[in-house]
Amino acid sequence: MRKAKQSFGGDWTQEKLERVRKYLSAYTTIMSHYNFRFAYIDAFAGTGYRTIKKDSEQEELPFPDLASFLDGSARIALQIQPRFTKYIFIEQNESRFSELQKLKAEFPRLQSDIILDNADANSYIRDLCIGYSWKTNRAVLFLDPFGMEVTWETIEAVAATRAIDLWLLFPLGVAVNRMLTRNGQIRAIWREKLNRMFGADDWYDVFYQTIRKQTLFGEEVVTQKVSDFDRIGQYFVGRLKTVFAGVANNPLPLFNSHNNPLYLLCFASGNPKGAKAAINIAQDILRR
């Protein structure tokens, strides 16, 4: 039976997963000494594994012809020791979800603590945050969307629990920067998407400026883009700081093989008491 393909490539994928793995290991080691129940939540879990592209990671593996699949975030989390109390995996795509369901058979000792849901990530996470008791529960949430699916409303709901640590892949170069046209003339549908993701519309004033320019026909008012990847990242980190107890100041840019930034791996901590320690650990992990 053919697996539902979920292909990722390049060192940036491994880099992202390795950073998250290190944090999960540190997190469960610390939380195992407390009386909290603590879950790992993966809102875009995919199939649980990832295929590798030829001429990239495959060349570095000892038996490249046999190594078609590598662990994705879901399988990595299930192997972390000490273990999480609960695992929640969400995937909306039916084909990928079908593969994801095999996790229970692959990890029989954890079977009763694995929750799988074929659902919209934003709706599921918001309902979970609002309807769950967070006094005695904690969680790490990994949001690794394929584009701009994550809305600010969801991020706000996560922060409001004051109990969840968030790892988020922000679509810096693959989506946001491409929508920010040089002349500032942005399609209405793109503006709406950016507003939903940032939870504000003041980004336009941050990323653009209006100047007066002398031309052959006299003075002309021109709008031009002044943002670069750093400014976009700083703005988003600033937005996270408006709702979370702590936010890592050194999000990790992830580059493709042409050295172009694709994503920004961000971290935020929701619990005021544990935020300082969480941020220290995350910032250390995020350093190159």
Side-chain angles (χ1 to χ4, degrees), residues 66-130:
L66 301 177
S68 300
F69 301 96
L70 296 175
D71 289 336
S73 53
R75 282 180 172 79
I76 287 173
L78 289 165
Q79 295 172 48
I80 293 293
Q81 293 294 330
R83 53 156 292 184
F84 282 88
T85 308
K86 192 75 67 177
Y87 305 86
I88 302 173
F89 301 121
I90 308 152
E91 175 54 51
Q92 188 172 22
N93 180 277
E94 291 185 5
S95 179
R96 289 194 288 266
F97 182 73
S98 179
E99 287 294 325
L100 192 64
Q101 289 179 299
K102 297 176 182 179
L103 288 177
K104 287 195 173 186
E106 294 175 23
F107 296 87
R109 290 184 296 177
L110 304 176
Q111 187 177 99
S112 61
D113 294 316
I114 297 175
I115 298 173
L116 303 169
D117 214 310
N118 182 207
D120 172 73
N122 283 291
S123 297
Y124 189 100
I125 293 300
R126 289 197 297 267
D127 290 344
L128 180 69
C129 291
I130 295 170

Side-chain angles (χ1 to χ4, degrees), residues 1-27:
M1 182 176 176
R2 192 173 182 178
K3 290 180 178 288
K5 189 176 181 181
Q6 182 176 339
S7 179
F8 301 99
D11 292 339
W12 69 268
T13 305
Q14 181 61 31
E15 200 169 357
K16 166 193 69 178
L17 292 175
E18 180 61 15
R19 297 303 202 283
V20 173
R21 184 197 65 77
K22 286 181 178 180
Y23 185 80
L24 297 183
S25 180
Y27 181 88

Side-chain angles (χ1 to χ4, degrees), residues 23-39:
Y23 185 80
L24 297 183
S25 180
Y27 181 88
T28 60
T29 298
I30 293 171
M31 294 301 291
S32 63
H33 297 293
Y34 293 89
N35 293 323
F36 292 108
R37 292 172 58 82
F38 48 98

